[in-house]
Amino acid sequence: MVSSKAFTMTGGDVAYSYTKNSTIQRDVVDAGKELLKEAILKKFDLESLGFDTQSSVVVKIADLGCSVGPNTFFVMENIIEAVELKFLQAKNQNLSALEFQAFFNDHYENDFNILFKTLPPSRNYFAAGVPGSFHGRLFPKSSIHFAHMSYALHFLSKVPKEVVDINKSNVLNSSDKEVVEAYSTQFKNDMECFLNARAEELVPGGLMFILAGAVPDGISVSDTMSGVYNDVMGSCLKDLVKMGVLGEEKVNSFNVPIYPATVTELEAIFRTNGNFSIEKMEKFAQPMKTPLTPEGYALAVRAGSDGLIRNHFGDEFVEQIFNHFTTKIEPNFSKILEITRNNLNLCILLKRI
């Protein structure tokens, strides 16, 4: 078990819930569907996994950092559809003997009630919730055949201790080398824990498919989606200090447990770990199927950070903070839109050695 600071998406049925404001993430899932299908058809080896000799087959799948629906359900459907096709293409495979166990994982504070209430009624898998941080162990040894993660790799287990003393009123000051290095070190440590835990849980030959945002090499953090949020939210909080709404000390101690890693950083971490072979690392552009508006962006940000803001500043300040944040979006929206469109995504396929 790993102690990890919870950073869950907003549950419930409110206007700013993750369920109603996760189309950006859904577009990435849709864009990665064919890559996911290809990965399973080419790399999900039924023989090495022992499925070719079994009369009854239970494929165990985990979605790590699942949040609430509906995106995690689309993911599960895509995985199962591809695995079924793989079995259909294999000789001497009895599809009627094939069953699926789906594990939905997120922090204890995740809204599992909404998750379970909205499970697709026609699903063809047995569902279970697994609370806990994906930075540590979640499952018994060699029990998972396929692990999936979408847009959760950038969450840290905690804000680096060094940053609390360094960073003042900037959320994540991407121009401060010391701050960036502290975040980078924390990310590498968290990733080592994450990979070591999955190495224990995946069966030999099992696959892990990850969709993640990444920073192109040589690009400043301030020119990323995380960087724009940091700049706008930092400016918003400073304004509220000047207006006497928030205390300066409270704002100075606010930092975000997120680190947008570069492509080179990610590849080095995977290779250094040694428990996995990198079967695929493919870049793809940010899909923009759903038009992004200032109002939609504001709701999406709140869906992702309401809990973080509420936990740090208190319930009584949440509405004022997000109302003022919304007013700051309009003059910055052209930059927000440009950076969102230019966001780089990675499809990463790892195989347990």
Side-chain angles (χ1 to χ4, degrees):
M1 302 297 290
V2 168
S3 175
S4 181
K5 188 72 173 178
F7 186 35
T8 58
M9 305 298 100
T10 302
D13 194 42
V14 294
Y16 53 89
S17 68
Y18 183 79
T19 298
K20 296 179 178 179
N21 299 281
S22 54
T23 54
I24 293 175
Q25 295 89 335
R26 168 66 190 275
D27 288 348
V28 173
V29 168
D30 286 347
K33 181 178 179 178
E34 288 304 312
L35 296 172
L36 173 65
K37 179 180 176 181
E38 178 188 353
I40 290 174
L41 293 180
K42 289 185 177 181
K43 300 295 182 178
F44 197 70
D45 191 330
L46 303 185
E47 183 178 354
S48 67
L49 293 171
F51 291 144
D52 63 324
T53 60
Q54 298 176 13
S55 57
S56 179
V57 174
V58 179
V59 179
K60 296 181 179 179
I61 305 163
D63 189 25
L64 307 169
C66 67
S67 188
V68 293
N71 291 348
T72 187
F73 305 139
F74 297 138
V75 164
M76 204 57 65
E77 290 169 9
N78 293 343
I79 294 170
I80 289 174
E81 181 183 295
V83 172
E84 286 180 332
L85 182 58
K86 177 74 175 184
F87 272 80
L88 278 173
Q89 292 178 351
K91 295 179 180 179
N92 303 320
Q93 288 297 329
N94 180 11
L95 200 60
S96 64
L98 180 61
E99 293 186 302
F100 296 94
Q101 174 75 70
F103 297 101
F104 296 97
N105 155 257
D106 214 311
H107 280 285
Y108 295 94
E109 290 82 357
N110 186 55
D111 194 344
F112 283 101
N113 286 331
I114 285 291
L115 178 73
F116 294 136
K117 284 179 181 178
T118 55
L119 276 167
S122 59
R123 65 189 180 277
N124 58 341
Y125 54 83
F126 297 95
V130 181
S133 168
F134 56 62
H135 293 112
R137 285 285 302 278
L138 297 164
F139 306 100
K141 289 185 178 181
S142 300
S143 63
I144 301 298
H145 301 106
F146 193 94
H148 175 275
M149 174 180 276
S150 177
Y151 261 47
L153 200 68
H154 54 284
F155 292 124
L156 301 176
S157 64
K158 61 183 180 182
V159 173
K161 183 175 62 175
E162 303 89 333
V163 169
V164 177
D165 297 326
I166 299 170
N167 210 17
K168 302 296 182 185
S169 313
N170 291 302
V171 188
L172 168 53
N173 184 352
S174 56
S175 64
D176 192 316
K177 183 179 179 181
E178 210 173 348
V179 169
V180 175
E181 287 179 353
Y183 270 95
S184 177
T185 298
Q186 182 66 49
F187 179 76
K188 290 172 184 174
N189 291 339
D190 283 345
M191 282 298 298
E192 187 70 10
C193 292
F194 169 79
L195 292 172
N196 288 341
R198 302 296 83 76
E200 294 274 0
E201 297 163 352
L202 281 165
V203 302
L207 299 177
M208 180 157 57
F209 184 88
I210 301 171
L211 293 175
V215 180
D217 295 322
I219 299 297
S220 168
V221 174
S222 61
D223 291 324
T224 66
M225 291 172 71
S226 293
V228 171
Y229 165 78
N230 296 334
D231 290 343
V232 178
M233 181 58 78
S235 174
C236 167
L237 296 177
K238 287 178 183 178
D239 287 351
L240 292 173
V241 169
K242 293 176 183 177
M243 294 161 60
V245 175
L246 298 175
E248 186 173 7
E249 185 176 347
K250 196 70 173 175
V251 170
N252 286 346
S253 62
F254 178 67
N255 296 281
V256 177
I258 284 177
Y259 179 71
T262 67
V263 176
T264 298
E265 278 181 300
L266 287 170
E267 185 173 3
I269 289 169
F270 296 140
R271 293 196 186 283
T272 301
N273 180 264
N275 288 308
F276 299 89
S277 61
I278 302 176
E279 301 295 316
K280 189 183 193 69
M281 276 190 73
E282 182 171 324
K283 303 173 185 176
F284 64 99
Q286 179 71 29
M288 295 292 288
K289 291 169 56 178
T290 307
L292 188 63
T293 64
E295 297 77 15
Y297 178 78
L299 287 170
V301 167
R302 185 163 185 182
S305 59
D306 183 86
L308 183 71
I309 296 290
R310 193 177 297 274
N311 180 66
H312 185 81
F313 292 101
D315 294 346
E316 65 271 28
F317 296 109
V318 173
E319 292 301 327
Q320 286 175 283
I321 291 172
F322 280 110
N323 286 341
H324 191 58
F325 177 81
T326 302
T327 68
K328 305 282 286 189
I329 290 174
E330 190 65 47
N332 291 281
F333 191 65
S334 59
K335 182 180 180 181
I336 290 170
L337 195 57
E338 179 186 3
I339 288 179
T340 302
R341 283 174 174 160
N342 294 331
N343 187 51
L344 175 67
N345 291 286
L346 277 183
C347 159
I348 306 157
L349 181 66
L350 305 177
K351 176 177 278 192
R352 177 70 172 96
I353 297 172

mmCIF file of all heavy atoms in Angstrom, residues 95-121:
data_model
loop_
_atom_site.group_PDB
_atom_site.id
_atom_site.type_symbol
_atom_site.label_atom_id
_atom_site.label_comp_id
_atom_site.label_asym_id
_atom_site.label_seq_id
_atom_site.Cartn_x
_atom_site.Cartn_y
_atom_site.Cartn_z
ATOM 1 N N LEU A 95 -15.446 -19.424 -27.924
ATOM 2 C CA LEU A 95 -15.816 -18.091 -27.446
ATOM 3 C C LEU A 95 -16.845 -18.160 -26.326
ATOM 4 O O LEU A 95 -16.897 -17.291 -25.456
ATOM 5 C CB LEU A 95 -16.340 -17.245 -28.601
ATOM 6 C CG LEU A 95 -16.332 -15.716 -28.388
ATOM 7 C CD1 LEU A 95 -14.921 -15.214 -28.145
ATOM 8 C CD2 LEU A 95 -16.954 -15.008 -29.583
ATOM 9 N N SER A 96 -17.656 -19.175 -26.313
ATOM 10 C CA SER A 96 -18.680 -19.300 -25.270
ATOM 11 C C SER A 96 -18.069 -19.556 -23.892
ATOM 12 O O SER A 96 -18.722 -19.330 -22.872
ATOM 13 C CB SER A 96 -19.651 -20.431 -25.618
ATOM 14 O OG SER A 96 -18.970 -21.680 -25.641
ATOM 15 N N ALA A 97 -16.817 -20.033 -23.863
ATOM 16 C CA ALA A 97 -16.145 -20.290 -22.588
ATOM 17 C C ALA A 97 -15.410 -19.055 -22.066
ATOM 18 O O ALA A 97 -14.840 -19.076 -20.979
ATOM 19 C CB ALA A 97 -15.150 -21.438 -22.742
ATOM 20 N N LEU A 98 -15.453 -17.983 -22.836
ATOM 21 C CA LEU A 98 -14.712 -16.766 -22.494
ATOM 22 C C LEU A 98 -15.535 -15.851 -21.596
ATOM 23 O O LEU A 98 -16.672 -15.504 -21.914
ATOM 24 C CB LEU A 98 -14.334 -16.035 -23.785
ATOM 25 C CG LEU A 98 -13.554 -14.723 -23.667
ATOM 26 C CD1 LEU A 98 -12.209 -14.959 -22.992
ATOM 27 C CD2 LEU A 98 -13.346 -14.118 -25.053
ATOM 28 N N GLU A 99 -14.962 -15.454 -20.457
ATOM 29 C CA GLU A 99 -15.605 -14.513 -19.543
ATOM 30 C C GLU A 99 -14.615 -13.415 -19.168
ATOM 31 O O GLU A 99 -13.403 -13.582 -19.268
ATOM 32 C CB GLU A 99 -16.094 -15.234 -18.276
ATOM 33 C CG GLU A 99 -17.214 -16.217 -18.535
ATOM 34 C CD GLU A 99 -17.766 -16.801 -17.239
ATOM 35 O OE1 GLU A 99 -16.972 -17.408 -16.483
ATOM 36 O OE2 GLU A 99 -18.971 -16.640 -16.985
ATOM 37 N N PHE A 100 -15.170 -12.291 -18.704
ATOM 38 C CA PHE A 100 -14.338 -11.141 -18.376
ATOM 39 C C PHE A 100 -14.621 -10.638 -16.963
ATOM 40 O O PHE A 100 -15.779 -10.547 -16.544
ATOM 41 C CB PHE A 100 -14.588 -9.998 -19.369
ATOM 42 C CG PHE A 100 -14.188 -10.315 -20.774
ATOM 43 C CD1 PHE A 100 -15.131 -10.825 -21.683
ATOM 44 C CD2 PHE A 100 -12.884 -10.135 -21.207
ATOM 45 C CE1 PHE A 100 -14.776 -11.127 -22.979
ATOM 46 C CE2 PHE A 100 -12.519 -10.431 -22.513
ATOM 47 C CZ PHE A 100 -13.466 -10.933 -23.395
ATOM 48 N N GLN A 101 -13.552 -10.309 -16.255
ATOM 49 C CA GLN A 101 -13.650 -9.652 -14.957
ATOM 50 C C GLN A 101 -13.038 -8.268 -15.112
ATOM 51 O O GLN A 101 -11.856 -8.137 -15.467
ATOM 52 C CB GLN A 101 -12.895 -10.437 -13.887
ATOM 53 C CG GLN A 101 -12.813 -9.746 -12.534
ATOM 54 C CD GLN A 101 -14.127 -9.791 -11.776
ATOM 55 O OE1 GLN A 101 -14.553 -10.830 -11.327
ATOM 56 N NE2 GLN A 101 -14.758 -8.635 -11.627
ATOM 57 N N ALA A 102 -13.827 -7.223 -14.884
ATOM 58 C CA ALA A 102 -13.364 -5.841 -15.041
ATOM 59 C C ALA A 102 -13.183 -5.197 -13.676
ATOM 60 O O ALA A 102 -14.108 -5.181 -12.857
ATOM 61 C CB ALA A 102 -14.361 -5.040 -15.868
ATOM 62 N N PHE A 103 -12.000 -4.666 -13.437
ATOM 63 C CA PHE A 103 -11.697 -3.986 -12.185
ATOM 64 C C PHE A 103 -11.576 -2.486 -12.447
ATOM 65 O O PHE A 103 -10.754 -2.062 -13.266
ATOM 66 C CB PHE A 103 -10.384 -4.505 -11.592
ATOM 67 C CG PHE A 103 -10.412 -5.960 -11.230
ATOM 68 C CD1 PHE A 103 -9.838 -6.906 -12.069
ATOM 69 C CD2 PHE A 103 -11.021 -6.388 -10.060
ATOM 70 C CE1 PHE A 103 -9.864 -8.254 -11.746
ATOM 71 C CE2 PHE A 103 -11.051 -7.735 -9.724
ATOM 72 C CZ PHE A 103 -10.476 -8.673 -10.569
ATOM 73 N N PHE A 104 -12.387 -1.702 -11.748
ATOM 74 C CA PHE A 104 -12.356 -0.245 -11.879
ATOM 75 C C PHE A 104 -11.656 0.327 -10.652
ATOM 76 O O PHE A 104 -12.140 0.213 -9.530
ATOM 77 C CB PHE A 104 -13.780 0.304 -11.993
ATOM 78 C CG PHE A 104 -14.502 -0.159 -13.216
ATOM 79 C CD1 PHE A 104 -15.371 -1.253 -13.158
ATOM 80 C CD2 PHE A 104 -14.318 0.465 -14.438
ATOM 81 C CE1 PHE A 104 -16.054 -1.692 -14.285
ATOM 82 C CE2 PHE A 104 -14.983 0.036 -15.575
ATOM 83 C CZ PHE A 104 -15.860 -1.053 -15.502
ATOM 84 N N ASN A 105 -10.514 0.960 -10.894
ATOM 85 C CA ASN A 105 -9.692 1.461 -9.780
ATOM 86 C C ASN A 105 -9.629 2.979 -9.747
ATOM 87 O O ASN A 105 -9.497 3.641 -10.777
ATOM 88 C CB ASN A 105 -8.263 0.918 -9.888
ATOM 89 C CG ASN A 105 -7.245 1.819 -9.190
ATOM 90 O OD1 ASN A 105 -6.512 2.562 -9.838
ATOM 91 N ND2 ASN A 105 -7.253 1.812 -7.869
ATOM 92 N N ASP A 106 -9.702 3.522 -8.545
ATOM 93 C CA ASP A 106 -9.407 4.930 -8.294
ATOM 94 C C ASP A 106 -9.248 5.117 -6.786
ATOM 95 O O ASP A 106 -9.413 4.157 -6.026
ATOM 96 C CB ASP A 106 -10.491 5.853 -8.847
ATOM 97 C CG ASP A 106 -9.919 7.180 -9.352
ATOM 98 O OD1 ASP A 106 -9.132 7.794 -8.593
ATOM 99 O OD2 ASP A 106 -10.246 7.595 -10.466
ATOM 100 N N HIS A 107 -8.949 6.341 -6.372
ATOM 101 C CA HIS A 107 -8.782 6.638 -4.950
ATOM 102 C C HIS A 107 -10.049 6.304 -4.162
ATOM 103 O O HIS A 107 -11.149 6.257 -4.718
ATOM 104 C CB HIS A 107 -8.457 8.124 -4.752
ATOM 105 C CG HIS A 107 -7.026 8.467 -5.006
ATOM 106 N ND1 HIS A 107 -6.018 8.165 -4.131
ATOM 107 C CD2 HIS A 107 -6.442 9.114 -6.055
ATOM 108 C CE1 HIS A 107 -4.866 8.599 -4.618
ATOM 109 N NE2 HIS A 107 -5.097 9.171 -5.783
ATOM 110 N N TYR A 108 -9.880 6.133 -2.860
ATOM 111 C CA TYR A 108 -11.012 5.850 -1.979
ATOM 112 C C TYR A 108 -12.081 6.935 -2.088
ATOM 113 O O TYR A 108 -13.275 6.663 -1.956
ATOM 114 C CB TYR A 108 -10.540 5.759 -0.516
ATOM 115 C CG TYR A 108 -9.618 4.601 -0.248
ATOM 116 C CD1 TYR A 108 -8.237 4.756 -0.304
ATOM 117 C CD2 TYR A 108 -10.123 3.345 0.060
ATOM 118 C CE1 TYR A 108 -7.377 3.688 -0.061
ATOM 119 C CE2 TYR A 108 -9.269 2.269 0.309
ATOM 120 C CZ TYR A 108 -7.901 2.448 0.245
ATOM 121 O OH TYR A 108 -7.062 1.389 0.485
ATOM 122 N N GLU A 109 -11.675 8.182 -2.314
ATOM 123 C CA GLU A 109 -12.611 9.301 -2.365
ATOM 124 C C GLU A 109 -13.370 9.375 -3.688
ATOM 125 O O GLU A 109 -14.247 10.209 -3.871
ATOM 126 C CB GLU A 109 -11.862 10.622 -2.133
ATOM 127 C CG GLU A 109 -11.363 10.816 -0.722
ATOM 128 C CD GLU A 109 -10.041 10.104 -0.447
ATOM 129 O OE1 GLU A 109 -9.546 9.397 -1.361
ATOM 130 O OE2 GLU A 109 -9.504 10.244 0.665
ATOM 131 N N ASN A 110 -13.031 8.531 -4.650
ATOM 132 C CA ASN A 110 -13.738 8.516 -5.924
ATOM 133 C C ASN A 110 -15.219 8.196 -5.698
ATOM 134 O O ASN A 110 -15.583 7.471 -4.767
ATOM 135 C CB ASN A 110 -13.117 7.459 -6.847
ATOM 136 C CG ASN A 110 -13.710 7.478 -8.240
ATOM 137 O OD1 ASN A 110 -13.711 8.513 -8.901
ATOM 138 N ND2 ASN A 110 -14.217 6.341 -8.695
ATOM 139 N N ASP A 111 -16.081 8.732 -6.565
ATOM 140 C CA ASP A 111 -17.520 8.511 -6.422
ATOM 141 C C ASP A 111 -17.893 7.146 -7.008
ATOM 142 O O ASP A 111 -18.447 7.044 -8.109
ATOM 143 C CB ASP A 111 -18.297 9.632 -7.112
ATOM 144 C CG ASP A 111 -19.768 9.654 -6.719
ATOM 145 O OD1 ASP A 111 -20.231 8.641 -6.170
ATOM 146 O OD2 ASP A 111 -20.425 10.671 -6.942
ATOM 147 N N PHE A 112 -17.592 6.087 -6.261
ATOM 148 C CA PHE A 112 -17.909 4.744 -6.727
ATOM 149 C C PHE A 112 -19.414 4.501 -6.789
ATOM 150 O O PHE A 112 -19.878 3.651 -7.555
ATOM 151 C CB PHE A 112 -17.240 3.696 -5.828
ATOM 152 C CG PHE A 112 -15.766 3.527 -6.080
ATOM 153 C CD1 PHE A 112 -14.827 4.107 -5.240
ATOM 154 C CD2 PHE A 112 -15.312 2.799 -7.168
ATOM 155 C CE1 PHE A 112 -13.470 3.963 -5.478
ATOM 156 C CE2 PHE A 112 -13.953 2.644 -7.419
ATOM 157 C CZ PHE A 112 -13.019 3.223 -6.575
ATOM 158 N N ASN A 113 -20.193 5.229 -5.981
ATOM 159 C CA ASN A 113 -21.650 5.076 -6.039
ATOM 160 C C ASN A 113 -22.178 5.428 -7.426
ATOM 161 O O ASN A 113 -22.973 4.686 -8.013
ATOM 162 C CB ASN A 113 -22.331 5.955 -4.985
ATOM 163 C CG ASN A 113 -22.174 5.396 -3.584
ATOM 164 O OD1 ASN A 113 -22.058 4.193 -3.408
ATOM 165 N ND2 ASN A 113 -22.178 6.256 -2.591
ATOM 166 N N ILE A 114 -21.744 6.577 -7.955
ATOM 167 C CA ILE A 114 -22.153 6.971 -9.301
ATOM 168 C C ILE A 114 -21.614 5.981 -10.329
ATOM 169 O O ILE A 114 -22.305 5.613 -11.284
ATOM 170 C CB ILE A 114 -21.663 8.402 -9.616
ATOM 171 C CG1 ILE A 114 -22.517 9.429 -8.881
ATOM 172 C CG2 ILE A 114 -21.695 8.681 -11.118
ATOM 173 C CD1 ILE A 114 -23.943 9.542 -9.391
ATOM 174 N N LEU A 115 -20.377 5.544 -10.134
ATOM 175 C CA LEU A 115 -19.767 4.586 -11.055
ATOM 176 C C LEU A 115 -20.630 3.339 -11.182
ATOM 177 O O LEU A 115 -20.961 2.890 -12.290
ATOM 178 C CB LEU A 115 -18.365 4.221 -10.569
ATOM 179 C CG LEU A 115 -17.617 3.184 -11.415
ATOM 180 C CD1 LEU A 115 -17.155 3.796 -12.723
ATOM 181 C CD2 LEU A 115 -16.420 2.628 -10.654
ATOM 182 N N PHE A 116 -21.020 2.768 -10.048
ATOM 183 C CA PHE A 116 -21.792 1.533 -10.078
ATOM 184 C C PHE A 116 -23.230 1.758 -10.540
ATOM 185 O O PHE A 116 -23.815 0.903 -11.216
ATOM 186 C CB PHE A 116 -21.772 0.873 -8.700
ATOM 187 C CG PHE A 116 -20.408 0.392 -8.285
ATOM 188 C CD1 PHE A 116 -19.937 0.604 -7.000
ATOM 189 C CD2 PHE A 116 -19.590 -0.265 -9.187
ATOM 190 C CE1 PHE A 116 -18.673 0.166 -6.622
ATOM 191 C CE2 PHE A 116 -18.329 -0.701 -8.824
ATOM 192 C CZ PHE A 116 -17.866 -0.488 -7.537
ATOM 193 N N LYS A 117 -23.816 2.906 -10.183
ATOM 194 C CA LYS A 117 -25.188 3.199 -10.607
ATOM 195 C C LYS A 117 -25.304 3.336 -12.120
ATOM 196 O O LYS A 117 -26.371 3.096 -12.696
ATOM 197 C CB LYS A 117 -25.679 4.486 -9.944
ATOM 198 C CG LYS A 117 -26.059 4.331 -8.476
ATOM 199 C CD LYS A 117 -26.516 5.667 -7.908
ATOM 200 C CE LYS A 117 -26.885 5.550 -6.433
ATOM 201 N NZ LYS A 117 -27.287 6.863 -5.856
ATOM 202 N N THR A 118 -24.214 3.761 -12.764
ATOM 203 C CA THR A 118 -24.255 4.027 -14.206
ATOM 204 C C THR A 118 -23.593 2.926 -15.032
ATOM 205 O O THR A 118 -23.371 3.105 -16.227
ATOM 206 C CB THR A 118 -23.588 5.377 -14.522
ATOM 207 O OG1 THR A 118 -22.250 5.395 -13.973
ATOM 208 C CG2 THR A 118 -24.373 6.532 -13.931
ATOM 209 N N LEU A 119 -23.270 1.792 -14.408
ATOM 210 C CA LEU A 119 -22.728 0.666 -15.168
ATOM 211 C C LEU A 119 -23.695 0.290 -16.287
ATOM 212 O O LEU A 119 -24.907 0.225 -16.074
ATOM 213 C CB LEU A 119 -22.523 -0.539 -14.257
ATOM 214 C CG LEU A 119 -21.226 -0.603 -13.449
ATOM 215 C CD1 LEU A 119 -21.336 -1.675 -12.368
ATOM 216 C CD2 LEU A 119 -20.027 -0.879 -14.348
ATOM 217 N N PRO A 120 -23.180 0.047 -17.491
ATOM 218 C CA PRO A 120 -24.071 -0.331 -18.595
ATOM 219 C C PRO A 120 -24.846 -1.608 -18.250
ATOM 220 O O PRO A 120 -24.247 -2.627 -17.893
ATOM 221 C CB PRO A 120 -23.094 -0.591 -19.753
ATOM 222 C CG PRO A 120 -21.867 0.184 -19.397
ATOM 223 C CD PRO A 120 -21.770 0.140 -17.911
ATOM 224 N N PRO A 121 -26.165 -1.573 -18.348
ATOM 225 C CA PRO A 121 -26.962 -2.750 -17.976
ATOM 226 C C PRO A 121 -26.710 -3.956 -18.872
ATOM 227 O O PRO A 121 -26.892 -5.100 -18.450
ATOM 228 C CB PRO A 121 -28.408 -2.253 -18.101
ATOM 229 C CG PRO A 121 -28.331 -1.058 -18.997
ATOM 230 C CD PRO A 121 -26.998 -0.433 -18.747
#
